[in-house]
Amino acid sequence: MSVFEGFKFRKVSSAVHRLDPRIKFFYVIILFVMAILFTKLLALIVLFFIPLPFVFIARVNRQWLRSLRGAVFFAIIIFATNFIFGYFYPSSYTEITGAVDSLGEYLVLLERASAMTLRFVVLIASFSVFFLTTSPDHLGLALQQSHIPYEFCFAFTTAVRFVPVLADEAQTIMDAQKARGLELERGNFLKRVRNYIPILIPLIISAIRRSLELAEAMESRAWGASEKRTNLYVLKLKRTDYLLVLVSVLMLIIAVYVWLYVSIPSLTTLLSL
Amino acid sequence: MAIIETRDLTYTYPGATNPAITEVSVTIEKGDFVILTGPSGCGKTTLCRCFNGLIPHFYNGNLEGEIVVAGLKVNDHKIHQIARHVGLVFQNPENQLFALSVEKDVAFGLENFAMVRDEMRKRVDWALQMAGISELSERPPHELSGGQQQRVAIASVLAMQPEIMILDEPTSFLDPVGAQKIFEVISELNKKLGITIILVEHRLDLASMYANRVIVMDEGKIVLNGEPRKIFNSEKARLIGVGIPKVTQLYQHLKIHGINLKRVPVTPQETANILREVLKHD
Ligand SMILES: Nc1ncnc2c1ncn2[C@@H]1O[C@H](COP(=O)(O)OP(=O)(O)O)[C@@H](O)[C@H]1O
Ligand SMILES: [Mg+2]
């Protein structure tokens, strides 16, 4: 079940992993805002490099690249729609007069479509750094300390806790049904989807039974005993966290300044100089 | 002093026609180590659920008779109030651990009690140490073996410092070595801390040496209740199909062949001693 691999919690530690998840999230949001602010390819290329140091410090390059590869499909769709849309409705581009008919105008179109695609890639890249370097435990804690109801945080961490368990179970059920003669890879698309029913039903039933047992165990350990629970762990801001806040705010100020006062040249004009 | 007392306890699950337990009257003394056994489906788990209030509060259904646990009338107290006195460890180790690290799981009950962090830290470390799993404190539970998981479950109940600990077939998912380890841990808790233990168990060969009392249930009723040797040596226990320890069976076979040992043994060690005496005399 390779689908679940990405959810599996790996215990690694680095300066980036140890950052407060709330601050890391703030940083990602700033990147997000900057990516929305700019439409020029040159600006977005710069933005793409900003989360890179994090990736290397946290040593998650392999997983990070894998998540980017996962985004290729959507990136292609975004590129194609932008390009085709621009071709048929060139009036939305100030640089293009009339229909798209010269090499220069094609280049403008190409650059704009690339920029939109890169914007998407920047978003994916920065969010995946966040999720790759934040343990679910930390994330649950951050949710809790952000005044999100405890029931919700608990549901979140418990879900993460049971992903590998359910994945194992799905595998066991699959093996058992195959041993009884179920053929998963047979028939046309619809038939194949139907083939999975004998796997889903036992999986769902066992998940329900499991959740009842969990509820029983929670009750037995005094769930709901007091209005305000305490927590074994607590997130405290450290010096590096404040540093990251500072860096993020500075980045935002610079970005807003550039957006207001600097006209960013397009790559085509820059190269043709 | 009685720590659990029931009188004519009868319980029917919602939607069921027949009661799962009928007219159970039992007294358990403070500091006892009780083994509760009997064929499957005879109502052991149901009785355990009565002891900590899951019945009637979680399961609803129809409960008749009286039950007082650690001085609390179970009917009139919430499960979390009873949880301060009674800890319940379940059969399947996997489905009673819900956190992403062992120590977080052990802290779960204390967090519910809103204990202050420093004290909680001490309690968690203490419970982990008592269960012999201090070195696992930061591991995710799903990476542990069944035996280790079950010890985490014990630690998480122990951290709440209950007077009574109930373990419902805690070893049925474990290998003999894992089971042995569990029995040793709970026996320590019984001896050192004076915690009253109720152990639902089929593996009597391994467990009976720790118990001072055996209760046998059959078809929703308590049919035998007393000293382990007496129970194991009784005709009724054999008829019901209780897993009588091998060495007690040996005693019975020897008796049939005219060899009378002085005492009914329950452990191999004991048997060896008794046999040595007999052989020396001959
Ligand atoms: N949650 C439940 N709902 C309805 N009936 C149940 C439930 N749990 C157990 N029973 C029934 O109660 C009886 C006693 O079961 P149980 O207490 O689990 O026995 P044991 O633990 O000794 O195997 C059985 O007949 C069983 O079918
Ligand atoms: Mg049972």
Side-chain angles (χ1 to χ4, degrees):
Chain A
M1 286 258 123
S2 59
V3 195
F4 293 109
E5 284 299 310
F7 288 97
K8 265 195 188 158
F9 165 50
R10 290 179 195 79
K11 205 146 198 155
V12 208
S13 197
S14 74
V16 179
H17 284 85
R18 280 191 296 272
L19 283 168
D20 190 306
R22 293 167 294 178
I23 305 300
K24 248 187 287 185
F25 195 71
F26 176 70
Y27 164 83
V28 169
I29 293 296
I30 299 276
L31 273 180
F32 190 95
V33 169
M34 293 198 297
I36 297 296
L37 227 45
F38 294 103
T39 52
K40 287 281 180 6
L41 187 58
L42 199 61
L44 286 159
I45 289 174
V46 173
L47 284 185
F48 179 78
F49 285 101
I50 292 181
L52 279 185
F54 275 41
V55 175
F56 289 111
I57 295 171
R59 274 169 282 141
V60 289
N61 1 9
R62 293 232 326 266
Q63 295 96 309
W64 185 72
L65 280 178
R66 200 177 311 149
S67 65
L68 285 191
R69 224 179 299 149
V72 163
F73 177 68
F74 289 102
I76 290 172
I77 290 181
I78 289 172
F79 184 84
T81 30
N82 269 287
F83 195 84
I84 293 167
F85 184 83
Y87 185 80
F88 289 109
Y89 300 94
S91 49
S92 57
Y93 292 83
T94 48
E95 302 93 329
I96 301 173
T97 47
V100 184
D101 47 13
S102 69
L103 178 64
E105 287 176 342
Y106 270 111
L107 284 178
V108 167
L109 212 54
L110 199 67
E111 182 169 344
R112 177 60 85 92
S114 311
M116 292 303 109
T117 311
L118 192 57
R119 177 191 269 176
F120 169 73
V121 171
V122 168
L123 297 185
I124 295 291
S126 39
F127 268 103
S128 80
V129 175
F130 176 78
F131 284 110
L132 286 175
T133 62
T134 306
S135 78
D137 232 351
H138 258 156
L139 197 56
L141 205 55
L143 290 176
Q144 216 174 319
Q145 288 186 273
S146 315
H147 303 287
I148 288 171
Y150 177 70
E151 286 78 6
F152 178 83
C153 309
F154 182 79
F156 170 78
T157 46
T158 311
V160 175
R161 142 93 174 87
F162 278 95
V163 164
V165 177
L166 288 182
D168 278 353
E169 192 157 282
Q171 193 61 55
T172 310
I173 293 173
M174 237 187 268
D175 292 344
Q177 298 289 46
K178 276 188 195 157
R180 293 175 183 187
L182 177 76
E183 289 178 312
L184 287 173
E185 315 294 335
R186 215 182 145 118
N188 59 19
F189 179 71
L190 266 182
K191 177 88 175 52
R192 281 184 191 207
V193 171
R194 258 209 317 266
N195 285 345
Y196 274 86
I197 291 176
I199 292 177
L200 272 182
I201 289 176
L203 193 62
I204 290 170
I205 289 175
S206 118
I208 292 173
R209 186 175 307 146
R210 203 184 278 284
S211 66
L212 282 177
E213 281 186 27
L214 272 175
E216 230 182 325
M218 284 165 65
E219 289 283 346
S220 305
R221 271 151 69 188
W223 173 262
S226 40
E227 288 278 299
K228 212 164 160 32
R229 280 178 112 246
T230 49
N231 207 312
L232 180 64
Y233 304 133
V234 66
L235 291 174
K236 266 215 201 96
L237 296 182
K238 296 176 297 293
R239 202 179 297 156
T240 41
D241 295 313
Y242 288 114
L243 194 68
L244 185 60
V245 174
L246 196 71
V247 170
S248 311
V249 172
L250 270 179
M251 278 191 328
L252 186 66
I253 291 172
I254 295 171
V256 170
Y257 178 83
V258 170
W259 183 63
L260 286 176
Y261 301 112
V262 183
S263 95
I264 304 167
S266 81
L267 215 55
T268 1
T269 49
L270 210 65
L271 291 181
S272 61
L273 274 181
Chain B
M1 200 184 83
I3 197 159
I4 295 181
E5 199 159 12
T6 76
R7 196 162 321 131
D8 294 334
L9 205 62
T10 299
Y11 175 74
T12 315
Y13 280 102
T17 43
N18 297 321
I21 52 171
T22 34
E23 297 182 348
V24 170
S25 298
V26 68
T27 306
I28 288 166
E29 301 294 325
K30 195 166 169 45
D32 269 357
F33 189 129
V34 180
I35 287 179
L36 179 58
T37 190
S40 73
C42 70
K44 305 180 295 291
T45 300
T46 307
L47 189 58
C48 292
R49 287 173 180 151
C50 294
F51 289 156
N52 88 328
L54 282 172
I55 290 173
H57 303 299
F58 184 79
Y59 280 92
N60 303 318
N62 184 29
L63 182 66
E64 284 164 30
E66 276 172 47
I67 172 165
V68 178
V69 176
L72 307 175
K73 284 197 162 168
V74 170
N75 265 308
D76 306 341
H77 290 82
K78 295 224 166 70
I79 300 174
H80 64 76
Q81 289 169 316
I82 301 168
R84 287 182 190 270
H85 306 276
V86 185
L88 186 50
V89 174
F90 297 84
Q91 187 168 15
N92 188 344
E94 201 163 62
N95 292 347
Q96 49 187 321
L97 304 177
F98 12 75
L100 294 162
S101 72
V102 165
E103 57 179 12
K104 185 86 175 122
D105 235 312
V106 174
F108 182 81
L110 305 178
E111 292 177 341
N112 287 332
F113 288 152
M115 184 178 277
V116 291
R117 192 168 306 111
D118 293 340
E119 198 181 333
M120 181 149 51
R121 185 79 253 174
K122 276 187 215 142
R123 278 274 195 102
V124 168
D125 291 342
W126 169 80
L128 287 171
Q129 196 201 334
M130 287 304 293
I133 46 171
S134 296
E135 71 285 355
L136 302 179
S137 71
E138 291 191 358
R139 296 270 298 278
H142 65 85
E143 283 180 7
L144 306 180
S145 73
Q148 289 171 325
Q149 285 181 341
Q150 204 55 292
R151 278 192 278 161
V152 175
I154 290 175
S156 63
V157 162
L158 180 65
M160 294 157 82
Q161 298 193 336
E163 295 135 64
I164 307 162
M165 206 183 240
I166 304 169
L167 303 100
D168 188 1
E169 302 192 31
T171 66
S172 58
F173 285 62
L174 312 186
D175 55 50
V177 177
Q180 180 69 40
K181 195 86 199 168
I182 298 287
F183 296 145
E184 280 164 13
V185 168
I186 55 182
S187 161
E188 285 284 287
L189 300 180
N190 178 249
K191 280 197 206 119
K192 285 202 179 137
L193 307 174
I195 297 177
T196 308
I197 303 281
I198 299 172
L199 172 66
V200 178
E201 192 52 64
H202 292 294
R203 303 189 193 206
L204 301 180
D205 273 302
L206 286 174
S208 42
M209 60 184 283
Y210 305 106
N212 67 334
R213 203 132 79 85
V214 173
I215 296 177
V216 182
M217 289 182 75
D218 192 27
E219 297 182 344
K221 291 198 171 79
I222 290 183
V223 287
L224 291 167
N225 177 356
E227 237 250 351
R229 291 160 217 284
K230 271 206 203 105
I231 303 286
F232 293 145
N233 198 30
S234 71
E235 180 66 8
K236 210 166 179 183
R238 200 176 57 80
L239 290 177
I240 293 169
V242 172
I244 296 167
K246 300 267 183 326
V247 288
T248 313
Q249 293 180 24
L250 176 67
Y251 166 90
Q252 291 163 346
H253 283 292
L254 287 173
K255 193 166 181 174
I256 292 169
H257 292 96
I259 303 169
N260 260 316
L261 301 184
K262 270 184 281 175
R263 270 179 298 135
V264 184
V266 292
T267 69
Q269 184 61 47
E270 214 180 349
T271 318
N273 289 339
I274 298 172
L275 284 177
R276 201 179 296 134
E277 274 175 44
V278 173
L279 293 177
K280 233 186 272 166
H281 282 293
D282 277 359

